[in-house]
Amino acid sequence: MPLASGKKYMEKFNTRIVSKDGDFILTMKLKKETVEISLTEDKPEEVRAAFNRLIVLLKTSPIVLNFQKDGDDLYQQIGEEYIKQLNRELSIVRKDLEEYEMVLDDEE
């Protein structure tokens, strides 16, 4: 989706909930990797690493995460709300990066 400036495009990445060995995991398929966050286990390093990866992507272009809902169970609802909130936060971080001139140009 072209931005108002006409210079950059917003990148869209798909997310979904998968179940592995009784653990429900939010998966985010990014450019060259899949980032995972457990919804049933407390793994703060995993969450921190995921957010750091998203911030790196934000430095090159705005991004939006699309949640692919597969059913209507509790974890699908949690995942959907998590992605809505995360998209709001990513938008704020991107604006901050632009304001403080921390966005990377295509040439960099």
Side-chain angles (χ1 to χ4, degrees):
M1 164 188 325
L3 300 177
S5 66
K7 292 184 178 181
K8 296 274 186 178
Y9 285 84
M10 180 173 289
E11 295 196 60
K12 296 180 180 181
F13 300 106
N14 291 324
T15 67
R16 68 181 317 132
I17 302 293
V18 296
S19 178
K20 290 183 185 174
D21 301 322
D23 189 11
F24 289 88
I25 300 167
L26 176 66
T27 63
M28 296 179 266
K29 294 195 184 288
L30 305 178
K31 285 183 177 184
K32 297 179 182 177
E33 64 186 308
T34 298
V35 174
E36 297 182 343
I37 298 175
S38 174
L39 297 178
T40 50
E41 293 182 24
D42 185 24
K43 296 184 178 180
E45 289 299 321
E46 189 177 272
V47 174
R48 186 176 299 114
F51 285 119
N52 286 340
R53 184 64 192 120
L54 291 170
I55 290 170
V56 168
L57 290 173
L58 279 174
K59 291 177 96 175
T60 58
S61 68
I63 63 174
V64 66
L65 302 172
N66 295 317
F67 184 69
Q68 298 177 315
K69 195 171 181 180
D70 185 26
D72 200 36
D73 62 38
L74 178 62
Y75 286 104
Q76 295 297 320
Q77 293 172 15
I78 291 169
E80 185 175 36
E81 289 303 314
Y82 192 96
I83 293 302
K84 284 180 186 177
Q85 179 62 34
L86 184 53
N87 278 327
R88 286 190 287 270
E89 295 295 328
L90 292 173
S91 178
I92 292 167
V93 171
R94 173 64 188 195
K95 287 177 185 171
D96 288 345
L97 290 170
E98 291 171 355
E99 181 180 337
Y100 294 106
E101 299 179 356
M102 297 176 70
V103 174
L104 301 176
D105 291 329
D106 290 332
E107 301 86 41
E108 294 183 40

